[in-house]
PDB file of all heavy atoms in Angstrom:
ATOM      1  N   TYR A 904      93.065  76.761  47.294  1.00 96.00           N
ATOM      2  CA  TYR A 904      93.764  75.472  47.220  1.00 96.00           C
ATOM      3  C   TYR A 904      93.532  74.827  45.859  1.00 96.00           C
ATOM      4  O   TYR A 904      94.468  74.330  45.226  1.00 96.00           O
ATOM      5  CB  TYR A 904      93.297  74.570  48.370  1.00 96.00           C
ATOM      6  CG  TYR A 904      93.271  73.102  48.072  1.00 96.00           C
ATOM      7  CD1 TYR A 904      94.437  72.342  48.048  1.00 96.00           C
ATOM      8  CD2 TYR A 904      92.059  72.450  47.829  1.00 96.00           C
ATOM      9  CE1 TYR A 904      94.393  70.979  47.776  1.00 96.00           C
ATOM     10  CE2 TYR A 904      92.006  71.104  47.569  1.00 96.00           C
ATOM     11  CZ  TYR A 904      93.178  70.368  47.536  1.00 96.00           C
ATOM     12  OH  TYR A 904      93.126  69.022  47.260  1.00 96.00           O
ATOM     13  N   ARG A 905      92.300  74.823  45.399  1.00 94.00           N
ATOM     14  CA  ARG A 905      91.990  74.216  44.092  1.00 94.00           C
ATOM     15  C   ARG A 905      92.749  74.934  42.975  1.00 94.00           C
ATOM     16  O   ARG A 905      93.304  74.297  42.083  1.00 94.00           O
ATOM     17  CB  ARG A 905      90.485  74.263  43.822  1.00 94.00           C
ATOM     18  CG  ARG A 905      89.643  73.463  44.778  1.00 94.00           C
ATOM     19  CD  ARG A 905      89.442  72.077  44.360  1.00 94.00           C
ATOM     20  NE  ARG A 905      88.769  72.080  43.064  1.00 94.00           N
ATOM     21  CZ  ARG A 905      88.510  70.998  42.371  1.00 94.00           C
ATOM     22  NH1 ARG A 905      88.845  69.835  42.835  1.00 94.00           N
ATOM     23  NH2 ARG A 905      87.913  71.069  41.199  1.00 94.00           N
ATOM     24  N   THR A 906      92.779  76.246  43.019  1.00 95.00           N
ATOM     25  CA  THR A 906      93.491  77.028  42.008  1.00 95.00           C
ATOM     26  C   THR A 906      94.991  76.731  42.063  1.00 95.00           C
ATOM     27  O   THR A 906      95.618  76.470  41.032  1.00 95.00           O
ATOM     28  CB  THR A 906      93.240  78.530  42.229  1.00 95.00           C
ATOM     29  OG1 THR A 906      91.838  78.785  42.089  1.00 95.00           O
ATOM     30  CG2 THR A 906      94.014  79.370  41.235  1.00 95.00           C
ATOM     31  N   ASP A 907      95.554  76.750  43.263  1.00 95.00           N
ATOM     32  CA  ASP A 907      96.992  76.537  43.421  1.00 95.00           C
ATOM     33  C   ASP A 907      97.411  75.114  43.076  1.00 95.00           C
ATOM     34  O   ASP A 907      98.516  74.896  42.563  1.00 95.00           O
ATOM     35  CB  ASP A 907      97.431  76.873  44.846  1.00 95.00           C
ATOM     36  CG  ASP A 907      97.295  78.346  45.172  1.00 95.00           C
ATOM     37  OD1 ASP A 907      97.123  79.162  44.234  1.00 95.00           O
ATOM     38  OD2 ASP A 907      97.339  78.687  46.366  1.00 95.00           O
ATOM     39  N   SER A 908      96.554  74.137  43.330  1.00 94.00           N
ATOM     40  CA  SER A 908      96.913  72.740  43.072  1.00 94.00           C
ATOM     41  C   SER A 908      97.101  72.448  41.583  1.00 94.00           C
ATOM     42  O   SER A 908      97.844  71.543  41.222  1.00 94.00           O
ATOM     43  CB  SER A 908      95.864  71.792  43.666  1.00 94.00           C
ATOM     44  OG  SER A 908      94.646  71.870  42.959  1.00 94.00           O
ATOM     45  N   VAL A 909      96.471  73.239  40.734  1.00 93.00           N
ATOM     46  CA  VAL A 909      96.575  73.027  39.285  1.00 93.00           C
ATOM     47  C   VAL A 909      98.009  73.231  38.799  1.00 93.00           C
ATOM     48  O   VAL A 909      98.467  72.543  37.889  1.00 93.00           O
ATOM     49  CB  VAL A 909      95.600  73.966  38.536  1.00 93.00           C
ATOM     50  CG1 VAL A 909      95.821  73.911  37.039  1.00 93.00           C
ATOM     51  CG2 VAL A 909      94.171  73.608  38.876  1.00 93.00           C
ATOM     52  N   SER A 910      98.748  74.133  39.426  1.00 95.00           N
ATOM     53  CA  SER A 910     100.109  74.415  38.980  1.00 95.00           C
ATOM     54  C   SER A 910     101.182  73.829  39.901  1.00 95.00           C
ATOM     55  O   SER A 910     102.372  74.020  39.647  1.00 95.00           O
ATOM     56  CB  SER A 910     100.317  75.927  38.846  1.00 95.00           C
ATOM     57  OG  SER A 910     100.117  76.552  40.095  1.00 95.00           O
ATOM     58  N   ASP A 911     100.793  73.128  40.941  1.00 96.00           N
ATOM     59  CA  ASP A 911     101.758  72.561  41.872  1.00 96.00           C
ATOM     60  C   ASP A 911     102.273  71.213  41.345  1.00 96.00           C
ATOM     61  O   ASP A 911     101.477  70.317  41.053  1.00 96.00           O
ATOM     62  CB  ASP A 911     101.108  72.367  43.245  1.00 96.00           C
ATOM     63  CG  ASP A 911     102.084  71.839  44.263  1.00 96.00           C
ATOM     64  OD1 ASP A 911     102.823  72.646  44.838  1.00 96.00           O
ATOM     65  OD2 ASP A 911     102.126  70.596  44.461  1.00 96.00           O
ATOM     66  N   PRO A 912     103.592  71.048  41.228  1.00 97.00           N
ATOM     67  CA  PRO A 912     104.144  69.803  40.681  1.00 97.00           C
ATOM     68  C   PRO A 912     103.767  68.551  41.469  1.00 97.00           C
ATOM     69  O   PRO A 912     103.468  67.515  40.877  1.00 97.00           O
ATOM     70  CB  PRO A 912     105.660  70.035  40.711  1.00 97.00           C
ATOM     71  CG  PRO A 912     105.838  71.512  40.747  1.00 97.00           C
ATOM     72  CD  PRO A 912     104.642  72.052  41.475  1.00 97.00           C
ATOM     73  N   GLU A 913     103.761  68.626  42.806  1.00 96.00           N
ATOM     74  CA  GLU A 913     103.399  67.442  43.595  1.00 96.00           C
ATOM     75  C   GLU A 913     101.937  67.063  43.403  1.00 96.00           C
ATOM     76  O   GLU A 913     101.599  65.879  43.354  1.00 96.00           O
ATOM     77  CB  GLU A 913     103.688  67.678  45.069  1.00 96.00           C
ATOM     78  CG  GLU A 913     105.153  67.631  45.429  1.00 96.00           C
ATOM     79  CD  GLU A 913     105.344  67.747  46.926  1.00 96.00           C
ATOM     80  OE1 GLU A 913     105.193  66.722  47.629  1.00 96.00           O
ATOM     81  OE2 GLU A 913     105.632  68.871  47.388  1.00 96.00           O
ATOM     82  N   CYS A 914     101.071  68.057  43.300  1.00 96.00           N
ATOM     83  CA  CYS A 914      99.656  67.786  43.044  1.00 96.00           C
ATOM     84  C   CYS A 914      99.486  67.151  41.672  1.00 96.00           C
ATOM     85  O   CYS A 914      98.721  66.184  41.511  1.00 96.00           O
ATOM     86  CB  CYS A 914      98.837  69.063  43.137  1.00 96.00           C
ATOM     87  SG  CYS A 914      98.738  69.762  44.800  1.00 96.00           S
ATOM     88  N   GLN A 915     100.200  67.665  40.697  1.00 96.00           N
ATOM     89  CA  GLN A 915     100.107  67.110  39.354  1.00 96.00           C
ATOM     90  C   GLN A 915     100.602  65.661  39.319  1.00 96.00           C
ATOM     91  O   GLN A 915     100.039  64.829  38.608  1.00 96.00           O
ATOM     92  CB  GLN A 915     100.872  67.984  38.357  1.00 96.00           C
ATOM     93  CG  GLN A 915     100.210  69.326  38.114  1.00 96.00           C
ATOM     94  CD  GLN A 915      98.729  69.194  37.774  1.00 96.00           C
ATOM     95  OE1 GLN A 915      98.360  68.493  36.850  1.00 96.00           O
ATOM     96  NE2 GLN A 915      97.886  69.863  38.555  1.00 96.00           N
ATOM     97  N   GLU A 916     101.631  65.346  40.097  1.00 97.00           N
ATOM     98  CA  GLU A 916     102.111  63.964  40.184  1.00 97.00           C
ATOM     99  C   GLU A 916     101.040  63.054  40.788  1.00 97.00           C
ATOM    100  O   GLU A 916     100.866  61.919  40.336  1.00 97.00           O
ATOM    101  CB  GLU A 916     103.384  63.892  41.017  1.00 97.00           C
ATOM    102  CG  GLU A 916     104.597  64.464  40.334  1.00 97.00           C
ATOM    103  CD  GLU A 916     105.819  64.496  41.239  1.00 97.00           C
ATOM    104  OE1 GLU A 916     105.826  63.823  42.299  1.00 97.00           O
ATOM    105  OE2 GLU A 916     106.782  65.203  40.883  1.00 97.00           O
ATOM    106  N   ALA A 917     100.319  63.541  41.795  1.00 96.00           N
ATOM    107  CA  ALA A 917      99.252  62.745  42.405  1.00 96.00           C
ATOM    108  C   ALA A 917      98.109  62.530  41.415  1.00 96.00           C
ATOM    109  O   ALA A 917      97.585  61.420  41.298  1.00 96.00           O
ATOM    110  CB  ALA A 917      98.746  63.426  43.678  1.00 96.00           C
ATOM    111  N   PHE A 918      97.723  63.587  40.693  1.00 95.00           N
ATOM    112  CA  PHE A 918      96.686  63.432  39.664  1.00 95.00           C
ATOM    113  C   PHE A 918      97.124  62.421  38.612  1.00 95.00           C
ATOM    114  O   PHE A 918      96.338  61.574  38.170  1.00 95.00           O
ATOM    115  CB  PHE A 918      96.391  64.772  38.968  1.00 95.00           C
ATOM    116  CG  PHE A 918      95.666  65.778  39.811  1.00 95.00           C
ATOM    117  CD1 PHE A 918      96.113  67.093  39.856  1.00 95.00           C
ATOM    118  CD2 PHE A 918      94.540  65.447  40.540  1.00 95.00           C
ATOM    119  CE1 PHE A 918      95.449  68.048  40.612  1.00 95.00           C
ATOM    120  CE2 PHE A 918      93.867  66.393  41.301  1.00 95.00           C
ATOM    121  CZ  PHE A 918      94.333  67.699  41.334  1.00 95.00           C
ATOM    122  N   GLU A 919      98.391  62.498  38.207  1.00 97.00           N
ATOM    123  CA  GLU A 919      98.921  61.595  37.183  1.00 97.00           C
ATOM    124  C   GLU A 919      98.938  60.153  37.675  1.00 97.00           C
ATOM    125  O   GLU A 919      98.672  59.227  36.902  1.00 97.00           O
ATOM    126  CB  GLU A 919     100.320  62.038  36.743  1.00 97.00           C
ATOM    127  CG  GLU A 919     100.937  61.167  35.676  1.00 97.00           C
ATOM    128  CD  GLU A 919     100.101  61.025  34.409  1.00 97.00           C
ATOM    129  OE1 GLU A 919      99.342  61.964  34.057  1.00 97.00           O
ATOM    130  OE2 GLU A 919     100.194  59.959  33.761  1.00 97.00           O
ATOM    131  N   LEU A 920      99.245  59.936  38.943  1.00 97.00           N
ATOM    132  CA  LEU A 920      99.204  58.585  39.510  1.00 97.00           C
ATOM    133  C   LEU A 920      97.816  57.972  39.327  1.00 97.00           C
ATOM    134  O   LEU A 920      97.680  56.829  38.881  1.00 97.00           O
ATOM    135  CB  LEU A 920      99.579  58.619  40.992  1.00 97.00           C
ATOM    136  CG  LEU A 920      99.388  57.308  41.758  1.00 97.00           C
ATOM    137  CD1 LEU A 920     100.373  56.248  41.275  1.00 97.00           C
ATOM    138  CD2 LEU A 920      99.530  57.540  43.253  1.00 97.00           C
ATOM    139  N   ALA A 921      96.787  58.732  39.647  1.00 96.00           N
ATOM    140  CA  ALA A 921      95.417  58.227  39.495  1.00 96.00           C
ATOM    141  C   ALA A 921      95.080  57.979  38.025  1.00 96.00           C
ATOM    142  O   ALA A 921      94.456  56.969  37.686  1.00 96.00           O
ATOM    143  CB  ALA A 921      94.423  59.196  40.118  1.00 96.00           C
ATOM    144  N   ARG A 922      95.495  58.891  37.138  1.00 97.00           N
ATOM    145  CA  ARG A 922      95.219  58.710  35.704  1.00 97.00           C
ATOM    146  C   ARG A 922      95.945  57.483  35.151  1.00 97.00           C
ATOM    147  O   ARG A 922      95.357  56.687  34.429  1.00 97.00           O
ATOM    148  CB  ARG A 922      95.651  59.954  34.919  1.00 97.00           C
ATOM    149  CG  ARG A 922      94.661  61.087  34.968  1.00 97.00           C
ATOM    150  CD  ARG A 922      95.011  62.177  33.974  1.00 97.00           C
ATOM    151  NE  ARG A 922      96.210  62.912  34.347  1.00 97.00           N
ATOM    152  CZ  ARG A 922      96.229  64.027  35.063  1.00 97.00           C
ATOM    153  NH1 ARG A 922      95.099  64.547  35.494  1.00 97.00           N
ATOM    154  NH2 ARG A 922      97.360  64.630  35.339  1.00 97.00           N
ATOM    155  N   ARG A 923      97.217  57.360  35.504  1.00 98.00           N
ATOM    156  CA  ARG A 923      98.042  56.284  34.964  1.00 98.00           C
ATOM    157  C   ARG A 923      97.567  54.910  35.450  1.00 98.00           C
ATOM    158  O   ARG A 923      97.479  53.965  34.678  1.00 98.00           O
ATOM    159  CB  ARG A 923      99.496  56.516  35.362  1.00 98.00           C
ATOM    160  CG  ARG A 923     100.465  55.486  34.840  1.00 98.00           C
ATOM    161  CD  ARG A 923     101.920  55.846  35.130  1.00 98.00           C
ATOM    162  NE  ARG A 923     102.185  56.516  36.380  1.00 98.00           N
ATOM    163  CZ  ARG A 923     102.293  55.907  37.576  1.00 98.00           C
ATOM    164  NH1 ARG A 923     102.154  54.605  37.672  1.00 98.00           N
ATOM    165  NH2 ARG A 923     102.551  56.624  38.660  1.00 98.00           N
TER     166      ARG A 923
END
Side-chain angles (χ1 to χ4, degrees):
Y904 148 77
R905 296 271 300 176
T906 298
D907 293 346
S908 70
V909 172
S910 61
D911 183 83
E913 286 185 81
C914 292
Q915 290 309 305
E916 288 175 15
F918 289 133
E919 181 56 30
L920 172 68
R922 280 191 290 268
R923 181 174 35 81

